[in-house]
Amino acid sequence: MFECVDLRCEDLQDPVGVDESNPRFSWKLSSDRKEVFQTEYEIIVDDMWHAIVKSDQCLYVKYDGLPLKSKTKYNYRVRTTNNYGDVSPFVYGNFTTGLMGEPVSGKWIGQKQRPEKVAAYINKVNCEEFKTAYIFATAYGIYEIYINGQRVGESFFTPGLTNYNKRLQYQMFDVRDYLKKGENEVKVYLGKGWCCGRYPFQTDLKGFKDFPAFILQMEIDGHTVLKSDETWKYYDSPILFSELYDGEIYDSRIENTYQNEGLAEIIDYEYDNLVWNIGSQVKVVEEIKPVRIFKTPYKQTVIDFGQNMAGWAEFSGSGKSGDIISFSHAETLDSSGNFYNENFRTAQNDVTFILNGTNNQKYHPHFAFEGFRYIRIDKCTFDISLENFTGKVISSINTTSRIDTSNENLNRLFKNVLWSQKGNFIDVPTDCPQRDERVAWTGDAQVFISTALKNANCLAFYKKWLLDMKTEQTDDGLVQIFIPAIREKQTSSAWGDSATICPWELYKASNDRDFLFDIYPMMKKWVNYIKKQGNSPFLWNDGFQLGDWLALDSTDGSYEGTTDKYYIATAFFAYSTIITSKAAKALGLYEDEKELLHLFENIKKEFLKTYTDEYGMPYCKTQTAYVLGLFMNLFEDKKRAAKELNELIIGNGTKLTTGFVGTPYLCFALSQNGYIETAYKLLLQEEYPSWLYSVKQGATTIWEHWDGIKPDGSMWSKNMNSFNHYAYGSIADWIFSEACGIKTDEDNVGYKNSIIAPKPYKGLKKCFAEFDTSFGKIASGWEYINNNKIKITINIPCNTTSKIILPDGKEFIVKSGEYSWEIYN
Ligand code: BGC
């Protein structure tokens, strides 16, 4: 068996609406033989391009055929030959080009008079026989399109969250299957969304735009048959109220009643910021059934979905016209077993549905989503049971990784990481999906990206967000603490450093040099920005800093920990500089590389002079200070630093004190410097504070705080207490890349050349990890067969090579396939 699988065009499967004149194709090889390499590929794009190339390239092969036409579907197929002479059967894919720079003919329409209302905009179109039918649409706001009552496409919250004034993604839909011969009704629901509704921390309390508007253009066989203009009518929609954070009120009696007719107005919004939808869109990725319905001590009726998630509790059922059900959401119960949602702060998350008397009605909010495990029935005029609800899990990604160990709590912790990733990948990488934030904090994103990239194919997802970051960077290089933002410009180390860390991690995972090239100017500009901060070009020692956010060593109850903020800032300055030098090297920009390496040396010198004692050890004796110095290669005497860090941790009862900044590197700093046992002990620690503490408390997602719920059952606070915050989930990366030992070679990224160096530990009998790389699944794991004998198993994908370093020190190179070894340890 030799196959070519998982065809992708610009990281997406069969994308519709691609504005690239040379789109790039990628595929994976699959074979039951070992040591398989591609020796040749053949790619045919309709009658536009036919290439047969002797090469092992299977990622980002650039289209090089006749000029692609706009708004056209192209079918392509790929087959490959391997080093055994096997030829794979053709595998088929397609992509559809978008506007390719053509102006849209649809006009921005909306209604200035009733910006609070979610209106239904309606128009008609007549159809005869046709071959192709596409809709191009976008909105300032969020929109849904219906043709003859049927919702178009499977995506939600289009056009997504971007830096709207510079980049507004338009969507293209193939609507052939929605149209019938004769008259068709096209309807658009237009909500406020991120753009015109509530958006956190706005300085002027206004959204990106004052009121929503949309553009739509339908083309049949290449002719525009319908476009948004002043002929569109609007009516009251059944969506009486909808806000992303606050929930929705939906009166199904109003559906198709065409009340309060008015004519849409042309709105004077810009057209030159439209870009194609390179990101992956939000879809329903899973459905779960609730597990119990019960009365709380306060006699409230609560339904438990058994899992904290982002999405909706979909109602389905029948009742009389005018029957009503209202419910609110919560992530947890309090210590007495009562419904608890005070941690949502000002986000209401209330949903009301009014029935119209038809049978089997189904409803979930259109322009709102919730982060929840429980719902409380606040009002209901008819009988309900568990059967009436389904948990609809929404996300921009599907997770594909696996970690399986002999410790059930650890396995649950990993599940929690996956759930927090799903729930926080809602078009942008958010901090949390429930309270009144849900924005893409750059710090949280950089902390988690190396984990995220292993758990799911999120290349397109991050690329889209990084382009927003790039367009939002100020002329002097500042990168905001969340992106996109509408507020005064503000940054902090470890948050702004997302500008270097995210592109570099993305490059390491993807092998996409073109993207690195496009984004590199942002990385360099960020380093230059830091250079201008502080009273020396080699220190960042002034201005606002978030510090080691939520660290436990804070002495004054603040969120920021006690690690010297400028120690952190200067360490990250060094780290961003070294990362940017690596990117320069990967791009062949050797002058830049040299300059950046020189800068790094100077920063390191100044850092040691300013922040360390005569032994080169930090004045500030926190775990995070040691962790950063070690992980970011700033200490001369690493041995001593590692020993002191280890003593600090042991002296603290083998417990951590680190926050957002130190935690992701904590176990790495230990295991890479001779203290693997302490790293494992922290990982397996069950007492507070630890990763497994939350699991023991029944967590089903990763908590924002080590003590979200305290050992006595009380909440640590209601102000900053999300139960679905992925930052501390970055520990999964340590399991993948240290415990199971899988890393990419930085000179041959994307796991084209990998290094696998598993590090077994007797306190855990078994640890196995696998994830999907751009080449295919990579896996590594170990199991103690008896007290001193271990079985190591690895699997590496076709077309790649791996350097294996076994725990007994033996090193060798293997090519694709599954291998196992038994060794004494
Ligand atoms: C967010 C964090 C974020 C922090 C920075 C919080 O409110 O939830 O995750 O990084 O603010 O200020």
Side-chain angles (χ1 to χ4, degrees):
M1 184 274 288
F2 176 56
E3 282 175 346
C4 208
V5 293
D6 197 10
L7 274 188
R8 285 148 285 154
C9 170
E10 291 299 331
D11 299 313
L12 301 165
Q13 217 177 38
D14 299 340
V16 177
V18 179
D19 285 347
E20 296 288 341
S21 37
N22 302 92
R24 300 165 310 155
F25 307 102
S26 306
W27 56 87
K28 295 169 184 167
L29 304 181
S30 164
S31 169
D32 47 13
R33 291 196 204 241
K34 277 189 176 175
E35 309 197 337
V36 172
F37 273 87
Q38 178 183 297
T39 53
E40 183 178 293
Y41 66 81
E42 179 173 2
I43 180 160
I44 301 174
V45 180
D46 283 339
D47 49 6
M48 305 293 284
W49 188 43
H50 186 177
I52 302 177
V53 181
K54 294 233 173 300
S55 162
D56 68 347
Q57 187 183 355
C58 64
L59 300 181
Y60 304 110
V61 171
K62 220 175 237 176
Y63 174 80
D64 192 22
L66 297 172
L68 296 173
K69 292 199 282 285
S70 61
K71 304 179 278 194
T72 307
K73 179 170 179 175
Y74 292 98
N75 292 300
Y76 70 103
R77 58 198 146 124
V78 175
R79 70 175 168 187
T80 61
T81 307
N82 69 22
N83 49 325
Y84 295 97
D86 304 330
V87 180
S88 66
F90 271 115
V91 53
Y92 297 81
N94 64 69
F95 64 97
T96 306
T97 52
L99 294 165
M100 300 282 256
E102 275 177 31
V104 277
S105 54
K107 298 258 180 325
W108 283 115
I109 58 170
Q111 38 165 342
K112 288 185 194 158
Q113 309 316 324
R114 308 192 305 170
E116 287 307 314
K117 278 268 184 194
V118 177
Y121 294 84
I122 292 178
N123 216 327
K124 303 266 189 309
V125 65
N126 270 304
C127 286
E128 294 305 321
E129 290 290 326
F130 62 86
K131 283 206 187 97
T132 63
Y134 294 110
I135 281 182
F136 303 85
T138 190
Y140 284 114
I142 323 179
Y143 71 97
E144 288 184 339
I145 303 173
Y146 293 79
I147 297 181
N148 303 322
Q150 200 190 345
R151 192 177 184 281
V152 171
E154 293 175 343
S155 305
F156 296 93
F157 305 110
T158 47
L161 172 55
T162 54
N163 182 13
Y164 297 113
N165 294 328
K166 300 242 170 87
R167 298 183 64 255
L168 173 59
Q169 298 187 127
Y170 76 84
Q171 288 70 46
M172 177 177 178
F173 304 91
D174 184 341
V175 292
R176 241 174 338 175
D177 297 340
Y178 296 84
L179 293 166
K180 59 178 199 283
K181 242 178 158 183
E183 193 180 75
N184 294 273
E185 184 196 70
V186 180
K187 178 171 75 184
V188 173
Y189 285 154
L190 181 62
K192 289 185 283 186
W194 298 278
C195 181
C196 309
R198 288 180 67 183
Y199 195 71
F201 310 106
Q202 294 156 232
T203 20
D204 58 1
L205 295 175
K206 272 189 180 167
F208 293 86
K209 292 282 183 203
D210 292 343
F211 46 83
F214 74 96
I215 305 181
L216 181 145
Q217 172 177 335
M218 187 193 284
E219 298 203 355
I220 292 188
D221 292 336
H223 301 289
T224 304
V225 294
L226 179 70
K227 58 185 184 188
S228 48
D229 59 18
E230 57 275 54
T231 67
W232 283 63
K233 291 188 173 143
Y234 69 78
Y235 303 92
D236 285 351
S237 86
I239 305 169
L240 304 185
F241 168 85
S242 198
E243 272 277 2
L244 277 169
Y245 298 91
D246 296 324
E248 194 162 291
I249 303 173
Y250 189 96
D251 186 346
S252 64
R253 294 170 303 180
I254 298 175
E255 282 169 0
N256 307 320
T257 51
Y258 305 98
Q259 292 172 29
N260 285 323
E261 180 184 307
L263 273 182
E265 283 170 72
I266 305 275
I267 310 286
D268 183 23
Y269 284 159
E270 54 278 73
Y271 296 84
D272 57 2
N273 51 347
L274 300 194
V275 292
W276 75 277
N277 196 140
I278 75 158
S280 43
Q281 297 169 351
V282 179
K283 303 212 161 102
V284 172
V285 293
E286 231 168 293
E287 290 189 358
I288 56 178
K289 289 309 285 180
V291 291
R292 69 182 175 126
I293 181 164
F294 61 101
K295 285 260 189 246
T296 64
Y298 288 159
K299 306 273 173 290
Q300 297 175 326
T301 303
V302 168
I303 292 175
D304 178 5
F305 286 80
Q307 173 62 53
N308 198 16
M309 62 180 173
W312 307 293
E314 181 182 75
F315 168 82
S316 57
S318 313
K320 299 188 303 295
S321 178
D323 268 342
I324 183 167
I325 178 164
S326 294
F327 48 94
S328 33
H329 298 73
E331 292 182 287
T332 189
L333 303 175
D334 69 13
S335 55
S336 324
N338 283 310
F339 187 81
Y340 178 88
N341 63 3
E342 283 176 38
N343 62 328
F344 288 179
R345 303 197 301 219
T346 66
Q348 296 300 316
N349 291 309
D350 289 338
V351 171
T352 294
F353 179 61
I354 303 167
L355 287 74
N356 62 16
T358 55
N359 269 337
N360 290 326
Q361 289 195 261
K362 258 190 199 307
Y363 167 75
H364 64 67
H366 296 245
F367 300 130
F369 69 90
E370 287 84 32
F372 70 103
R373 169 175 168 172
Y374 301 92
I375 59 170
R376 179 184 63 199
I377 309 299
D378 297 323
K379 181 170 184 190
C380 191
T381 55
F382 54 101
D383 287 339
I384 48 149
S385 71
L386 283 187
E387 294 306 306
N388 293 107
F389 291 94
T390 307
K392 294 267 183 177
V393 180
I394 61 166
S395 185
S396 295
I397 50 119
N398 286 293
T399 56
T400 51
S401 61
R402 192 160 76 90
I403 286 179
D404 183 23
T405 76
S406 51
N407 182 315
E408 279 316 313
N409 289 330
L410 193 52
N411 296 343
R412 180 66 232 190
L413 176 76
F414 179 64
K415 279 205 183 103
N416 295 358
V417 174
L418 296 181
W419 274 103
S420 281
Q421 179 164 352
K422 275 184 266 192
N424 282 296
F425 274 48
I426 308 287
D427 208 72
V428 294
T430 60
D431 55 339
C432 56
Q434 76 297 74
R435 71 171 177 231
D436 49 2
E437 295 206 45
R438 313 185 198 182
V439 288
W441 287 95
T442 44
D444 306 40
Q446 67 84 0
V447 162
F448 192 64
I449 189 169
S450 53
T451 307
L453 287 163
K454 295 181 177 81
N455 285 337
N457 179 350
C458 32
L459 303 178
F461 173 85
Y462 277 123
K463 285 175 187 173
K464 169 213 162 228
W465 182 64
L466 285 171
L467 290 181
D468 284 312
M469 188 187 282
K470 188 179 171 195
T471 49
E472 217 175 280
Q473 187 175 32
T474 62
D475 290 343
D476 65 351
L478 180 145
V479 171
Q480 296 264 43
I481 47 180
F482 65 89
I483 305 263
I486 14 169
R487 55 180 288 169
E488 81 275 11
K489 305 289 175 213
Q490 188 175 43
T491 194
S492 161
S493 68
W495 271 251
D497 294 290
S498 204
T500 56
I501 297 169
C502 292
W504 180 243
E505 290 300 328
L506 191 71
Y507 172 66
K508 282 203 297 180
S510 66
N511 204 331
D512 187 352
R513 212 161 160 261
D514 297 331
F515 188 79
L516 185 68
F517 181 80
D518 290 346
I519 210 78
Y520 175 77
M522 173 175 87
M523 304 172 74
K524 219 178 137 188
K525 228 164 127 179
W526 170 249
V527 172
N528 286 333
Y529 171 82
I530 312 178
K531 229 168 48 183
K532 285 178 264 145
Q533 310 308 307
N535 59 11
S536 137
F538 310 124
L539 293 174
W540 186 357
N541 58 0
D542 66 2
F544 174 77
Q545 296 293 339
L546 285 161
D548 187 15
W549 189 249
L550 306 186
L552 295 172
D553 49 20
S554 151
T555 46
D556 59 358
S558 84
Y559 292 140
E560 293 151 15
T562 45
T563 309
D564 183 330
K565 289 182 185 169
Y566 300 126
Y567 177 104
I568 296 175
T570 303
F572 270 89
F573 179 19
Y575 189 47
S576 268
T577 303
I578 207 76
I579 284 177
T580 309
S581 81
K582 290 180 186 187
K585 181 179 168 206
L587 294 169
L589 304 168
Y590 300 117
E591 274 306 304
D592 276 18
E593 186 203 1
K594 223 167 86 191
E595 214 177 278
L596 288 156
L597 285 173
H598 186 64
L599 175 61
F600 172 79
E601 286 308 324
N602 281 325
I603 301 168
K604 181 173 161 181
K605 239 185 263 160
E606 251 341 82
F607 171 87
L608 289 173
K609 206 162 89 190
T610 316
Y611 296 109
T612 65
D613 60 20
E614 73 255 50
Y615 306 106
M617 296 298 105
Y619 288 125
C620 161
K621 302 250 172 272
T622 63
Q623 292 181 14
T624 289
Y626 281 95
V627 166
L628 297 187
L630 280 164
F631 187 82
M632 295 171 180
N633 275 316
L634 294 166
F635 295 135
E636 292 298 346
D637 191 349
K638 280 186 130 186
K639 236 176 155 176
R640 183 183 182 120
K643 187 167 165 281
E644 291 190 11
L645 170 62
N646 189 55
E647 282 165 6
L648 264 183
I649 295 167
I650 305 286
N652 192 41
T654 319
K655 287 177 182 166
L656 52 76
T657 56
T658 50
F660 276 34
V661 165
T663 304
Y665 311 124
L666 171 63
C667 287
F668 283 91
L670 289 164
S671 63
Q672 292 177 347
N673 292 287
Y675 293 93
I676 182 113
E677 197 169 328
T678 307
Y680 270 113
K681 283 186 174 156
L682 286 176
L683 173 70
L684 299 173
Q685 174 67 265
E686 293 186 350
E687 278 174 28
Y688 166 78
S690 68
W691 284 279
L692 295 188
Y693 167 75
S694 67
V695 173
K696 297 284 272 185
Q697 291 279 327
T700 60
T701 38
I702 301 293
W703 294 355
E704 177 177 27
H705 265 261
W706 294 116
D707 56 350
I709 299 174
K710 293 193 199 163
D712 68 1
S714 62
M715 306 289 164
W716 99 275
S717 135
K718 60 182 179 195
N719 291 328
M720 193 68 83
N721 204 13
S722 149
F723 292 100
N724 199 354
H725 235 75
Y726 55 46
Y728 294 150
S730 57
I731 186 64
D733 189 32
W734 186 81
I735 303 176
F736 287 121
S737 44
E738 287 287 298
C740 294
I742 310 169
K743 288 195 184 78
T744 183
D745 179 343
E746 292 197 351
D747 289 326
N748 217 339
V749 294
Y751 305 86
K752 175 73 178 148
N753 285 359
S754 59
I755 301 154
I756 301 188
K759 299 189 174 77
Y761 170 62
K762 280 195 182 137
L764 187 65
K765 293 283 159 271
K766 178 180 117 179
C767 188
F768 186 86
E770 74 174 27
F771 57 92
D772 221 0
T773 71
S774 296
F775 291 94
K777 278 243 185 294
I778 195 162
S780 162
W782 46 264
E783 184 168 10
Y784 279 86
I785 306 172
N786 58 40
N787 208 21
N788 47 20
K789 202 169 173 194
I790 321 163
K791 183 171 177 184
I792 309 265
T793 308
I794 65 140
N795 199 332
I796 68 160
C798 291
N799 220 10
T800 72
T801 299
S802 189
K803 177 173 162 186
I804 309 294
I805 307 173
L806 293 180
D808 60 7
K810 287 205 187 73
E811 286 188 17
F812 45 92
I813 305 283
V814 297
K815 292 167 186 163
S816 73
E818 187 174 315
Y819 301 85
S820 63
W821 302 274
E822 286 187 7
I823 57 164
Y824 288 93
N825 187 253

